[in-house]
Amino acid sequence: MRKVLLLCTALLAFSCGNEQPDLIVRTSIKGLKKGTVYLKKVKDTSLITIDSVVINGNSMFELKSDLESPEVFYLYLDKNDGKNDRITFFADKGVTEINTTLKNFVFDAKIKGSEQQKVLEDYQLLMSRINHRNLDLIKESFDAQKNGDSSAFIDYEKKQNNIIKSKYLQTVNFAINNSDSEVAPYLALTEIYNAKINFLDTINKSLTPKVKASKYGKELDAFIKEIKAKENK
């Protein structure tokens, strides 16, 4: 009996020791020789470190985390120069691969993993077009100020307000069109959290049951209820 108990204990310890984490982030940073890389996420409004690795010659490594539902993580690089660069990515259970370079840590990042990451990248592409329009508008305003054209500056303010409205409306439409992705409530909470409550409510009502039960789905629902409670006081 004692031998059986010892065998069961050994098997349990072995299985626990070989238990796979929910998320593995396989990373390669070309050109990195020394530094520390951190895997972080937001918990209760605070940014916390989930895992870290000290790099000393090997630029390929893995970081791990538990994961209840898809969510956003941050890969921070500390090059021991007082600067911290970070890559934002949307992870689901399984393996996420991040390949980048030391020289352009953020801009060279190629991320392969979750379906949510693909949706997030589609949104970022959409917003980049709006941001380019805004940069062109800022240049027009700067030129108008140099030339003393006050009417052009007034026109700039109107155009800028239209760009902001366009960003909000396109974000709402994007979230509704991707209501089966956890990216939808995430965008509502991070990009248009100060939008009219009916916009947020529309996104919330469009979410699939699976997304509603996710981390960001629950947070969006709680956020909307909090706003409505304040309005009804």
Side-chain angles (χ1 to χ4, degrees):
M1 186 68 181
R2 184 180 177 186
K3 289 181 179 179
V4 173
L5 287 172
L6 287 172
L7 179 61
C8 290
T9 302
L11 288 172
L12 181 62
F14 178 79
S15 63
C16 290
N18 286 270
E19 186 177 344
Q20 288 294 311
D22 296 322
L23 171 65
I24 297 175
V25 184
R26 289 181 183 152
T27 308
S28 174
I29 306 175
K30 185 179 179 181
L32 179 64
K33 300 300 180 185
K34 286 189 176 183
T36 306
V37 181
Y38 300 90
L39 181 65
K40 300 188 178 188
K41 72 173 186 177
V42 174
K43 184 177 181 181
D44 299 329
T45 71
S46 297
L47 192 63
I48 63 170
T49 298
I50 304 300
D51 197 5
S52 64
V53 61
V54 177
I55 307 300
N56 191 10
N58 186 4
S59 61
M60 299 180 67
F61 53 89
E62 290 185 355
L63 294 161
K64 302 175 178 66
S65 175
D66 293 331
L67 190 64
E68 290 185 10
S69 66
E71 65 178 297
V72 168
F73 285 80
Y74 305 94
L75 192 71
Y76 273 79
L77 171 61
D78 183 356
K79 297 176 288 187
N80 300 318
D81 60 358
K83 297 178 181 178
N84 281 288
D85 295 325
R86 79 176 189 182
I87 294 169
T88 304
F89 64 100
F90 220 118
D92 199 353
K93 291 183 179 181
V95 177
T96 290
E97 295 180 2
I98 300 178
N99 295 291
T100 188
T101 65
L102 176 63
K103 186 176 181 180
N104 297 299
F105 180 70
V106 177
F107 296 108
D108 285 348
K110 304 297 181 187
I111 305 168
K112 181 182 177 182
S114 70
E115 289 299 318
Q116 292 82 2
Q117 177 60 29
K118 294 177 185 177
V119 175
L120 180 61
E121 288 174 358
D122 287 343
Y123 174 76
Q124 290 169 338
L125 179 60
L126 177 66
M127 287 301 106
S128 70
R129 294 166 184 159
I130 294 177
N131 291 335
H132 284 149
R133 292 213 314 263
N134 193 42
L135 288 174
D136 290 340
L137 192 58
I138 291 171
K139 184 179 182 301
E140 288 178 20
S141 171
F142 180 74
D143 292 340
Q145 287 183 16
K146 278 174 62 178
N147 297 328
D149 189 347
S150 58
S151 61
F153 183 72
I154 294 172
D155 188 45
Y156 158 76
E157 288 185 323
K158 290 180 181 177
K159 288 180 179 178
Q160 190 178 49
N161 287 333
N162 288 335
I163 287 176
I164 293 171
K165 289 178 183 177
S166 176
K167 176 189 174 182
Y168 274 63
L169 289 174
Q170 291 200 48
T171 299
V172 171
N173 288 332
F174 186 91
I176 292 171
N177 290 333
N178 292 276
S179 58
D180 59 345
S181 172
E182 288 78 4
V183 176
Y186 170 76
L187 293 178
L189 288 164
T190 59
E191 297 295 324
I192 55 170
Y193 59 90
N194 55 352
K196 292 179 180 179
I197 189 64
N198 60 306
F199 286 158
L200 300 178
D201 219 9
T202 300
I203 293 172
N204 190 39
K205 290 176 180 177
S206 75
L207 301 178
T208 62
K210 174 178 171 289
V211 175
K212 275 184 176 292
S214 70
K215 171 185 169 70
Y216 297 123
K218 292 176 182 176
E219 288 182 1
L220 177 59
D221 190 61
F223 182 62
I224 291 171
K225 286 177 179 176
E226 184 181 341
I227 293 173
K228 288 182 175 180
K230 288 179 180 178
E231 289 179 348
N232 292 331
K233 280 186 178 180

